[in-house]
């Protein structure tokens, strides 16, 4: 079987369950869809319907795959991974901002088992050799006095068809292009491995906070020590990225002094 054939083999809940092994029992429900509007929408609806959490789903294709800031996420059929996990967190809400960084680490760990070295561009882009291979979209349902229900949506490009790739307005890559190992690439296995790390990291993050991931983030941080352009609303700052603070905010040394950004668009200046 060629690499592309094994990638395009259908997603199958039994195979994913097999690869997940005992880790599957952490989930109250797991579903595989042929086509769906957005796996994040489904996960959010589970929260709204008060279904027991955690739950997760993945899909062969998304009709309206969503990226950050209302962008679209290219979600062609049988090519990539579109995965969402809804997880209840007890940690204070103020600390949950760094969950996106933790999800990026989950993707990087998954890829490293394939010999692929990913870097993380704050807050939630996963890059390999300068191209974006995965993105993370965090959404939430917060109710006073209840666990914070967080949706972690991950899109991982595995074998992006050329025609769909042309619609993407940033430099991107996929696993097929950067993988040089012998092992066949299988999406069922990849979904299980990614989900395994995501669940493991959610549990650790809820128990110990971002401190447990800090050194791994520092090692994977693409921006640290480089000049970045940070856009927030209609303002723009340029300065050297100095890593992140304890809340996961990006710290930049600008001409006006050190500033921490909670939410912004970051571009590397070459
Ligand atoms: C980004 O980099 O802008 C985030 C992209 C997140 C895409 C994933 S695919 C699975 C989940 N469902 C969605 O509609 N979006 C996320």
């Amino acid at each position: 079987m060629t690499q592309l054939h094994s990638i395009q083999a259908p997603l199958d809940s039994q195979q994913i369950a097999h690869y997940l092994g005992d880790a599957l029992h952490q989930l109250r429900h797991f579903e595989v869809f042929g086509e769906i509007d957005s796996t994040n929408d489904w996960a959010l609806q589970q929260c709204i319907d008060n279904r027991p959490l955690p739950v997760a789903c993945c899909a062969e294709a998304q009709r309206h795959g969503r990226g950050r800031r209302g962008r679209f996420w290219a979600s062609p059929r049988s090519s990539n991974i579109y995965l969402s996990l809804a997880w209840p967190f007890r940690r204070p809400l103020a600390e949950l901002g760094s969950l996106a960084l933790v999800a990026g680490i989950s993707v990087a760990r998954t890829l490293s088992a394939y010999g692929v070295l990913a870097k993380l561009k704050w807050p939630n882009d996963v890059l390999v050799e300068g191209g974006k291979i995965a993105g993370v979209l965090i959404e939430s349902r917060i109710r006073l006095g209840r666990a914070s229900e967080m949706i972690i949506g991950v899109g991982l490009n595995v074998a992006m068809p050329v025609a769909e790739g042309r619609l993407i307005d940033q430099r991107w890559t996929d696993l097929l292009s950067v993988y040089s190992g012998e092992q066949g690439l299988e999406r069922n296995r990849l979904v299980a491995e990614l989900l395994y790390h995501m669940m493991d990291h959610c549990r650790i993050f809820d128990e110990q906070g971002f401190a447990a991931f800090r050194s791994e983030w520092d090692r994977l941080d693409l921006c640290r020590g480089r000049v970045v352009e940070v856009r927030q609303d209609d303002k723009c700052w340029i300065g050297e990225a100095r890593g992140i603070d304890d809340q996961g905010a990006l710290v930049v040394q600008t001409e006006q002094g050190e500033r921490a950004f909670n939410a912004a668009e970051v571009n590397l200046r070459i």
Side-chain angles (χ1 to χ4, degrees):
M1 242 198 320
T2 65
Q3 235 2 326
L4 202 53
H5 267 97
S6 67
I7 290 170
Q8 288 171 341
L11 289 174
D12 179 283
S13 56
Q14 301 224 338
Q15 280 202 48
I16 295 170
H18 163 75
Y19 287 126
L20 267 173
D22 285 348
L24 177 70
H25 305 308
Q26 293 178 71
L27 289 173
R28 304 295 292 268
H29 184 61
F30 176 68
E31 200 148 335
V32 175
F33 293 97
E35 191 174 287
I36 196 168
D37 278 344
S38 154
T39 54
N40 261 36
D41 288 354
W42 176 87
L44 197 54
Q45 193 58 49
Q46 302 305 297
C47 300
I48 292 166
D49 294 344
N50 291 319
R51 301 259 193 248
L53 301 186
V55 296
C57 80
C58 63
E60 291 282 9
Q62 296 186 117
R63 285 182 289 267
H64 304 291
R66 294 187 286 109
R68 285 177 71 225
R69 299 177 179 266
R71 295 193 186 112
F72 96 108
W73 185 258
S75 308
R77 175 173 299 282
S78 307
S79 313
N80 302 318
I81 287 172
Y82 319 114
L83 173 66
S84 295
L85 169 67
W87 192 276
F89 287 89
R90 294 275 164 202
R91 277 206 99 68
L93 192 55
E95 290 184 33
L96 296 181
S98 44
L99 182 60
L101 314 189
V102 174
I105 292 173
S106 307
V107 179
R109 281 247 188 122
T110 305
L111 294 176
S112 76
Y114 290 82
V116 172
L117 295 181
K119 285 281 184 183
L120 303 177
K121 181 158 117 6
W122 184 94
N124 48 11
D125 287 352
V126 184
L127 283 87
V128 176
E129 295 167 10
K132 181 163 167 173
I133 196 166
V136 175
L137 180 65
I138 304 282
E139 295 178 302
S140 59
R141 181 176 188 237
I142 310 292
R143 285 174 300 165
L144 215 62
R146 302 283 192 94
S148 301
E149 297 167 343
M150 306 298 288
I151 316 297
I152 306 151
V154 177
L156 170 64
N157 299 335
V158 183
M160 183 69 81
V162 177
E164 303 284 340
R166 287 207 189 97
L167 305 173
I168 302 175
D169 61 357
Q170 55 188 317
R171 208 174 140 199
W172 61 271
T173 190
D174 59 17
L175 185 54
L176 185 58
S177 312
V178 295
Y179 175 65
S180 54
E182 302 281 290
Q183 184 189 339
L185 293 174
E186 245 190 277
R187 282 180 309 140
N188 287 310
R189 189 180 198 124
L190 276 162
V191 166
E193 291 164 345
L194 178 56
L195 189 53
Y196 173 85
H197 288 302
M198 286 164 69
M199 294 195 292
D200 193 39
H201 289 173
C202 282
R203 194 181 40 76
I204 296 171
F205 180 66
D206 209 22
E207 282 166 16
Q208 302 171 34
F210 188 68
F213 297 94
R214 188 160 193 121
S215 61
E216 192 157 4
W217 172 270
D218 289 345
R219 197 170 51 76
L220 298 172
D221 186 354
L222 179 71
C223 297
R224 196 188 183 92
R226 297 172 72 171
V227 177
V228 293
E229 187 185 86
V230 185
R231 291 184 181 274
Q232 207 177 41
D233 305 323
D234 53 354
K235 297 196 200 73
C236 179
W237 288 267
I238 292 173
E240 189 187 307
R242 291 278 166 88
I244 53 167
D245 67 14
D246 289 341
Q247 279 69 48
L250 176 71
V251 179
V252 179
Q253 182 65 45
T254 70
E255 279 184 357
Q256 295 79 39
E258 209 168 75
R259 280 189 82 103
F261 297 90
N262 286 308
E265 283 285 281
V266 177
N267 287 307
L268 289 171
R269 302 267 293 200
I270 309 297

